[in-house]
Amino acid sequence: MSLLQLEGATIRFGGLVAVNNVSFSVEKGDLFGLIGPNGAGKTTCFNLITGVYKPTSGSIKFRGSELSGTPPNKVAQLGIARTFQNIRLFQSLTVLENVVVAAYLRHRVALPSALLYLPSAIAETERLKAEAMRLLEVLDLDRRAQVRSADLPYGMQRRLEIARAMATKPELLLLDEPAAGMNPQESDDLLLTVRQIRENFAMTVLLIEHDMRFVMNLCEKIVVLDHGIEIAQGPPETIRNHPKVIEAYLGEAV
Amino acid sequence: MDLTHSLLGAVDFGLLPQQVVNGILLGSIYALIALGYTMVYGVLRLINFAHGEVFMLGAYVSLFVAWGLGFGPGPVSPDQTSNWVNLVIMLVASMGVCAAVGMFIEFFAYRPMRNQPRIASLITAIGVSLLLQYAGALFLPNSPPVPIREEVNPYRANVLDVPLKPKSADLLAQTKQAQVALDEAERTLKDTVAAEGIKSEFDLSPEGKKVRDARNAARTKATVTQNAYDQSGLSLRIPYGQLIMFLTSIGLMLILRHVVMNTAPGRAMRAVSLDYDSASLMGVNVGRIITLTFAIGSALAGAGAMMNATFLGTPLTTFFGMQPGVKAFVAAVLGGIGNIPGAVLGGLLMGIAETLVVWVGYGDYKDAIAFVILILVLLFRPGGLLGSAKVEKV
Amino acid sequence: MYWPVRLASILAAVGGCFLLDALARGVDDYARRLIVLAGIWVILSVSLNLINGITGQFSIGHAAFWQVGAYTAGYLSVTFHGKWGIDGLPWMILMMALGALMAAVAGLIVGLPSLRLRGDYLAIVTLGFGEIIRIVVQNQKPLGEAYGMNVQPKFQTVWLVWLMAIVCIAVCRNLLRTAHGLPFLAVREDEVAAGAMGVNVTQVKVTAFLIGSAFAGVAGALLAHYEGFISPQMFKMEQSFIILTMVVLGGTGSITGATIAAVALFYLPERLRDAPPVTGAALLGGLIGTIVAVVLVKRTVDRFHGPKIGAATRYIGSVVAGIVLSLALGAGFGMIPKLASQSFEAEKLRMVIFAGVLIILMLIRPQGILGTNEFSLDWVKSLLRKRKAVEA
Ligand SMILES: Nc1ncnc2c1ncn2[C@@H]1O[C@H](COP(=O)(O)OP(=O)(O)O)[C@@H](O)[C@H]1O
Ligand SMILES: [Mg+2]
């Protein structure tokens, strides 16, 4: 059984079919790439998987059970976490608080104890903060823990998005253009970090990326979308030489 | 069936068309105010709570102009007559002053808040609204509430009568018959009086009294049949003043539509409303457009205020702008805020709903009905009737 | 160390309330009533802050929950007091609980649209619910219609009101001190992202409305039993606006700010009631002086980026200039007989001043008095540290 399986996933916005009959499977442990030119429907795929939009038709299965129609917070609970292409941090919260929000998903103490400030709630808060700190260390953000997230430099905001997603303890991590806007040095560091995350946290990673070098170096399997349609699928070597992909990226070095 | 009966009591549904017309007339005022809300919201995303107070000031301007023209505040001399020029002067003055007040408020209260969180602008708007109400109360006559003298309306005696259903021919015949019978009876009575040689019918002999009773019966019958005949048809009655009010509102809305759709500032206004930042990057002078929006919206409120005060006779206090203001805002949201035809539709619906609620005997709940409709509509069409709910792109 | 500290702070709170109560016995009825009402406004402001400031749900009909609490408690007291075998404090506690319960039910009903509506749309719906509730109440015979109803028995204590205010503050504060408060803040910041991180947005919003409206209901029960009389007039739309203003003026999301602003905004117009009448000359002078001071302060806020000391000097200078100008102009205008003879009563001026202060504060400090800060020793220390850093 695949970890994540899309079968004929389709969504229309009025006249536009943003994702058209897309099927692919992500196996446990994969480092899977989702690429395609701008407006191809990649982000929309993520939105379908995470329950932001409901597919018009087709099915999306996670560990064999149907996802479509599940609200986003339930999807997160099931073990899928994501980052956003256009960074959506909780801007006026600190870096640490951003991550704790996500870690809170696995909380065990009920709200009334918190309202009464009972020791159990305090202990849990400490535990979640400690967990969040560990993730910040992984992404090299620990020294900025108390900074307002809106005040972070851009590259760090992207990393914070990843730390936050990881804090929900997902099985499947969806990264939407994690290297966008980073310089080559930052991008290389990120590449190592993503590899490390997969090794150390046993997470499966599905990532969208524009930077071809980044994807080709990192991913073992790749799906290519163009105008909502899936045009190719396979390991990097196949994709690199696929005529349709070359056509879609016309002019761009693949 | 039973339920309808008990809830609606003795409502005569034959009068429904008249009530709907009354509602539309009232609604045209709501629509005028709602346009100001919707336009300002369109460009600034600000609920301009002070708009109701601009409306209030417009009514006071009309009042003072009416006074200046000789209609108050003291007794009005019987030979003081009005004509349409007076009405136009009041309308123009009210629109002009309101436009100025709107621009003034925008410049001093909202412009400095342009880059602040929206809730801060909202609080400022509430502050301006309170300030105008209470500062106004210091200087403007408002206790007891003052109405505009109805003598200023030269058409107050004229009513447009639109027949919907012709009057019954049967009843007409009966009426004529009864009239003939009555004339006959009168003549007999007069003869009897003359025959008895007395001056007044009150001195009649017992036999003579019988003749008088017969005359009285004939008179009653004539009145009853006449009334039955009068009421047998159905017609819409619209006072000229309210008709003028309605037509003026429609005219102003058409002008607005033309300005927004076909002129350069109108296009700029729509651009700002679609995307504030892009519009300013594209060289639209956003500041000027916002000023213009406030001026136009406030002028429309001024027109509504003048007509409301003159033709509907609402007495003025400096606090009276609040209720119509809130209702007009609800109308704007109902139609889809930021949407100009929506504001008109919402305003008319609001007027109709309110009139009908009063008509069926739930006048106490008049002020609640606006909100009930609003909540129902928003739950099923979160963007309002003509607006579209934006799905946030993620 | 947890329990000793906890118990001590609880004791301190309760003790403080009784101390206040004891002190309030020394003042006249009017002053005592102000103390009580200030406490009630604190509850209203802090509870709306939970919905509006912390969770970001733009609710502007808070007075409705207040009213539901007041009428629930008032009606039950009038109808059932003496029949259930309890009296005094236990009865009052029961009334507060039932007032809170009914207000929470109303909060639930109002909170549900918040699941579909955002921003201004939610605002207008909450406003609408408030009006509907008020109008429905004002047409019920048993509730005294528009005339209002007398509430018997009265329960007039200072300590209970302020204890409830402290409980309200503590509940919000506790929420924010634990991880459980973060989902609320996350919903305010970005609903989509919060949902994607597993926050149950629906549940968070409804919880905020439930807790917030329940406390408003408690405030209503307290008001009804303190005043012994309630009427629909006491819960008008303007009251909702005033509560909202307290929240925003305090600094959206700041509990300390909401508390301070509630007390300040309540006292300002009340104190103005007793002020002597003002001549037209003084009024005009004051107006011009104020405008000048505001313009000067605003310029400093916008353009001055030097050390804090410099800014403070400028602020003080502006205010002094404004006052001097007001007095001078007032005296000058006093020469004009027409202006000198006009007299305005304070009662009529107070709402004008209130509105003016509101606008001025928003123009000068739109983020509210405290911004998003909370009062704590750490915050004071960090302020001092910043100042030293700037000086050095
Ligand atoms: N909520 C929406 N409403 C309408 N169109 C949308 C919406 N979300 C995405 N689209 C459209 O779907 C297409 C695919 O978008 P997206 O998935 O963001 O592309 P990308 O592959 O660059 O991530 C685009 O044309 C976009 O405009
Ligand atoms: Mg994308």
Side-chain angles (χ1 to χ4, degrees):
Chain A
M1 184 179 53
S2 310
L3 186 64
L4 177 76
Q5 187 168 26
L6 275 72
E7 271 173 51
T10 304
I11 186 169
R12 356 175 123 254
F13 296 112
L16 176 84
V17 191
V19 173
N20 193 350
N21 202 14
V22 169
S23 308
F24 61 85
S25 310
V26 180
E27 305 300 328
K28 195 162 174 52
D30 275 354
L31 242 173
F32 201 107
L34 181 56
I35 66 172
N38 238 327
K42 307 178 298 288
T43 301
T44 307
C45 267
F46 273 21
N47 287 336
L48 289 177
I49 298 169
T50 54
V52 176
Y53 302 142
K54 196 172 186 285
T56 318
S57 65
S59 92
I60 301 170
K61 290 203 171 85
F62 183 64
R63 280 190 262 139
S65 55
E66 184 58 48
L67 269 189
S68 83
T70 317
N73 63 308
K74 286 274 155 48
V75 174
Q77 205 143 34
L78 288 174
I80 303 180
R82 71 176 289 179
T83 65
F84 293 91
Q85 176 184 350
N86 44 346
I87 300 174
R88 300 188 79 132
L89 293 170
F90 307 121
Q91 297 210 350
S92 64
L93 303 191
T94 66
V95 169
L96 181 66
E97 285 169 338
N98 264 275
V99 182
V100 175
V101 168
Y104 179 80
L105 173 60
R106 313 278 172 211
H107 77 273
R108 291 187 288 260
V109 176
L111 183 66
S113 321
L115 297 182
L116 297 175
Y117 204 54
L118 295 182
S120 57
I122 302 172
E124 171 154 81
T125 303
E126 292 308 320
R127 176 176 68 79
L128 294 177
K129 275 189 184 163
E131 254 174 47
M133 265 326 268
R134 275 199 295 282
L135 284 173
L136 288 180
E137 277 162 30
V138 172
L139 286 142
D140 198 19
L141 288 166
D142 47 328
R143 270 168 307 156
R144 306 285 184 120
Q146 301 305 331
V147 176
R148 238 171 63 105
S149 65
D151 298 338
L152 282 182
Y154 188 79
M156 289 195 184
Q157 293 198 6
R158 285 230 168 273
R159 292 213 301 273
L160 177 54
E161 279 254 347
I162 300 178
R164 190 177 65 170
M166 286 172 63
T168 64
K169 299 196 177 143
E171 251 182 283
L172 176 63
L173 184 60
L174 311 180
L175 304 178
D176 197 343
E177 305 203 9
M182 288 187 174
N183 63 34
Q185 175 61 45
E186 286 176 319
S187 167
D188 285 345
D189 290 348
L190 181 68
L191 199 116
L192 292 178
T193 312
V194 174
R195 280 211 183 108
Q196 193 193 337
I197 287 171
R198 184 181 57 161
E199 302 311 322
N200 299 351
F201 292 84
M203 284 180 195
T204 308
V205 178
L206 170 58
L207 87 108
I208 296 175
E209 190 44 71
H210 243 84
D211 182 346
M212 281 303 138
R213 196 176 52 101
F214 191 91
V215 183
M216 296 292 168
N217 281 339
L218 187 62
C219 298
E220 295 128 4
K221 286 186 215 157
I222 294 173
V223 169
V224 189
L225 295 185
D226 187 23
H227 291 98
I229 300 169
E230 175 194 327
I231 55 172
Q233 197 170 144
E237 312 80 65
T238 325
I239 298 299
R240 213 188 297 269
N241 303 315
H242 199 290
K244 276 192 178 162
V245 177
I246 294 173
E247 190 187 329
Y249 276 93
L250 200 69
E252 259 184 69
V254 176
Chain B
M1 188 57 223
D2 266 335
L3 184 67
T4 340
H5 195 260
S6 61
L7 274 178
L8 298 180
V11 172
D12 176 1
F13 281 94
L15 298 176
L16 183 64
Q18 177 74 54
Q19 296 302 327
V20 172
V21 167
N22 290 351
I24 292 177
L25 295 174
L26 174 66
S28 65
I29 298 293
Y30 287 148
L32 279 180
I33 316 175
L35 283 169
Y37 273 114
T38 247
M39 291 170 66
V40 167
Y41 189 89
V43 297
L44 275 187
R45 301 286 180 269
L46 167 74
I47 304 177
N48 178 13
F49 267 108
H51 195 59
E53 276 59 51
V54 173
F55 175 79
M56 173 274 284
L57 289 177
Y60 271 99
V61 171
S62 311
L63 176 75
F64 292 139
V65 174
W67 286 2
L69 293 168
F71 298 91
V76 174
S77 82
D79 34 87
Q80 173 74 317
T81 56
S82 186
N83 58 27
W84 63 274
V85 178
N86 287 342
L87 296 181
V88 172
I89 295 174
M90 287 164 69
L91 184 72
V92 171
S94 174
M95 290 178 75
V97 173
C98 284
V101 170
M103 290 191 286
F104 183 83
I105 295 175
E106 193 272 327
F107 186 81
F108 284 103
Y110 301 152
R111 186 159 296 205
M113 309 297 292
R114 197 72 59 75
N115 299 318
Q116 302 300 342
R118 284 178 41 215
I119 189 155
S121 318
L122 188 86
I123 297 295
T124 313
I126 292 176
V128 173
S129 162
L130 289 176
L131 185 70
L132 291 176
Q133 287 175 17
Y134 286 95
L138 286 181
F139 303 104
L140 299 173
N142 80 110
S143 176
V146 264
I148 290 188
R149 301 292 289 250
E150 62 170 4
E151 287 88 344
V152 79
N153 172 11
Y155 312 107
R156 62 187 181 282
N158 307 29
V159 172
L160 179 74
D161 215 318
V162 188
L164 291 182
K165 196 172 86 188
K167 295 180 181 175
S168 153
D170 241 22
L171 285 174
L172 181 61
Q174 284 179 32
T175 312
K176 282 194 179 138
Q177 233 169 21
Q179 193 61 47
V180 172
L182 175 59
D183 291 347
E184 178 73 33
E186 291 281 10
R187 222 172 306 120
T188 322
L189 180 62
K190 210 183 246 166
D191 292 349
T192 317
V193 170
E196 291 192 10
I198 48 177
K199 278 197 209 113
S200 131
E201 58 181 70
F202 297 104
D203 306 328
L204 282 168
S205 67
E207 289 86 70
K209 282 204 174 115
K210 275 184 194 146
V211 179
R212 195 181 68 189
D213 289 347
R215 194 279 319 257
N216 286 352
R219 189 186 272 172
T220 311
K221 177 134 201 258
T223 322
V224 168
T225 47
Q226 179 75 48
N227 281 348
Y229 169 68
D230 284 349
Q231 286 167 11
S232 68
L234 194 60
S235 67
L236 291 177
R237 294 173 55 81
I238 307 173
Y240 268 31
Q242 295 186 23
L243 189 66
I244 296 170
M245 170 178 101
F246 180 70
L247 294 177
T248 313
S249 306
I250 298 293
L252 288 171
M253 288 173 205
L254 291 176
I255 295 174
L256 175 71
R257 190 189 144 75
H258 172 76
V259 168
V260 171
M261 300 309 289
N262 302 331
T263 66
R267 258 190 297 278
M269 213 179 270
R270 279 185 290 148
V272 175
S273 145
L274 271 178
D275 189 333
Y276 188 99
D277 296 324
S278 310
S280 62
L281 290 176
M282 289 300 158
V284 173
N285 185 339
V286 177
R288 275 238 312 272
I289 291 303
I290 290 172
T291 309
L292 181 70
T293 307
F294 269 84
I296 295 180
S298 306
L300 292 176
M306 176 269 168
M307 297 193 288
N308 179 61
T310 310
F311 300 125
L312 297 179
T314 323
L316 310 184
T317 76
T318 53
F319 303 94
F320 102 117
M322 186 95 173
Q323 278 290 345
V326 169
K327 279 182 202 159
F329 178 66
V330 170
V333 177
L334 184 64
I337 192 148
N339 181 313
I340 288 179
V344 176
L345 177 68
L348 295 180
L349 284 180
M350 194 70 72
I352 296 174
E354 218 176 285
T355 316
L356 291 186
V357 166
V358 175
W359 176 54
V360 299
Y362 288 84
D364 290 340
Y365 292 90
K366 176 171 81 111
D367 293 336
I369 189 67
F371 294 108
V372 173
I373 297 177
L374 174 84
I375 291 168
L376 290 179
V377 169
L378 286 188
L379 285 182
F380 295 104
R381 265 193 79 85
L385 289 173
L386 299 188
S388 52
K390 289 204 183 70
V391 180
E392 194 183 356
K393 278 195 189 177
V394 176
Chain C
M1 239 354 245
Y2 172 81
W3 285 114
V5 173
R6 207 71 219 289
L7 286 178
S9 53
I10 291 173
L11 275 180
V14 176
C17 289
F18 278 105
L19 184 65
L20 184 66
D21 194 283
L23 291 176
R25 280 169 212 277
V27 297
D28 59 24
D29 284 353
Y30 175 65
R32 197 175 321 115
R33 179 165 170 271
L34 291 192
I35 296 176
V36 166
L37 290 182
I40 287 175
W41 282 101
V42 167
I43 301 178
L44 292 170
S45 165
V46 172
S47 61
L48 180 63
N49 182 51
L50 175 63
I51 300 174
N52 222 315
I54 295 175
T55 319
Q57 299 309 298
F58 200 177
S59 165
I60 55 177
H62 209 53
F65 306 132
W66 190 24
Q67 178 173 24
V68 170
Y71 271 87
T72 305
Y75 179 75
L76 292 178
S77 265
V78 169
T79 320
F80 296 109
H81 179 254
K83 295 183 185 153
W84 294 349
I86 49 173
D87 196 7
L89 183 61
W91 178 260
M92 188 61 217
I93 291 175
L94 181 65
M95 287 303 104
M96 287 197 301
L98 293 175
L101 184 70
M102 279 303 284
V105 170
L108 184 67
I109 297 172
V110 179
L112 289 179
S114 76
L115 310 179
R116 293 203 57 176
L117 302 170
R118 284 185 198 169
D120 300 335
Y121 282 93
L122 177 62
I124 198 74
V125 165
T126 54
L127 183 81
F129 263 115
E131 282 299 275
I132 292 173
I133 289 176
R134 187 174 62 80
I135 292 168
V136 168
V137 166
Q138 120 183 354
N139 283 295
Q140 304 308 313
K141 273 243 164 57
L143 300 182
E145 298 184 311
Y147 309 107
M149 66 190 289
N150 286 312
V151 177
Q152 290 295 342
K154 285 190 184 179
F155 191 86
Q156 298 176 309
T157 51
V158 173
W159 68 267
L160 186 61
V161 172
W162 275 93
L163 188 62
M164 289 328 284
I166 291 177
V167 168
C168 183
I169 293 171
V171 161
C172 294
R173 185 99 182 87
N174 290 344
L175 183 68
L176 289 191
R177 277 203 291 182
T178 55
H180 286 71
L182 288 171
F184 290 76
L185 295 169
V187 167
R188 174 186 80 191
E189 296 290 311
D190 187 332
E191 274 184 35
V192 173
M197 296 309 128
V199 173
N200 187 337
V201 176
T202 307
Q203 194 187 324
V204 163
K205 287 181 181 175
V206 170
T207 310
F209 267 102
L210 280 177
I211 301 177
S213 53
F215 273 109
V218 170
L222 289 167
L223 179 80
H225 287 88
Y226 191 86
E227 300 282 38
F229 173 76
I230 44 179
S231 81
Q233 287 301 307
M234 297 156 81
F235 308 98
K236 279 193 306 189
M237 211 185 312
E238 284 90 337
Q239 305 284 50
S240 290
F241 291 168
I242 291 177
I243 307 172
L244 177 69
T245 303
M246 289 169 173
V247 171
V248 177
L249 213 57
T252 301
S254 166
I255 302 168
T256 326
T259 310
I260 294 174
V263 174
L265 280 193
F266 168 71
Y267 264 111
L268 169 71
E270 287 300 330
R271 290 265 52 117
L272 288 174
R273 259 187 226 279
D274 317 326
V278 178
T279 65
L283 191 62
L284 192 58
L287 181 69
I288 298 175
T290 309
I291 291 176
V292 169
V294 169
V295 170
L296 289 177
V297 170
K298 176 87 179 148
R299 280 174 71 97
T300 311
V301 172
D302 290 345
R303 312 225 178 114
F304 183 78
H305 302 291
K308 280 222 156 108
I309 292 287
T313 328
R314 270 153 220 252
Y315 289 140
I316 295 170
S318 312
V319 173
V320 169
I323 294 174
V324 170
L325 190 65
S326 303
L327 295 176
L329 283 177
F333 289 131
M335 315 278 193
I336 307 170
K338 193 149 183 246
L339 284 176
S341 62
Q342 257 174 342
S343 159
F344 294 95
E345 293 156 39
E347 174 63 33
K348 286 186 174 158
L349 276 177
R350 66 190 188 96
M351 283 307 288
V352 178
I353 296 177
F354 178 82
V357 168
L358 199 64
I359 299 172
I360 292 170
L361 276 175
M362 279 294 116
L363 288 178
I364 295 177
R365 202 173 158 79
Q367 69 273 47
I369 300 169
L370 285 196
T372 51
N373 296 303
E374 290 297 349
F375 180 83
S376 67
L377 283 180
D378 289 343
W379 180 62
V380 175
K381 273 185 215 151
S382 78
L383 272 187
L384 293 175
R385 229 179 294 131
K386 252 189 243 161
R387 222 183 84 183
K388 279 195 189 117
V390 172
E391 280 164 15

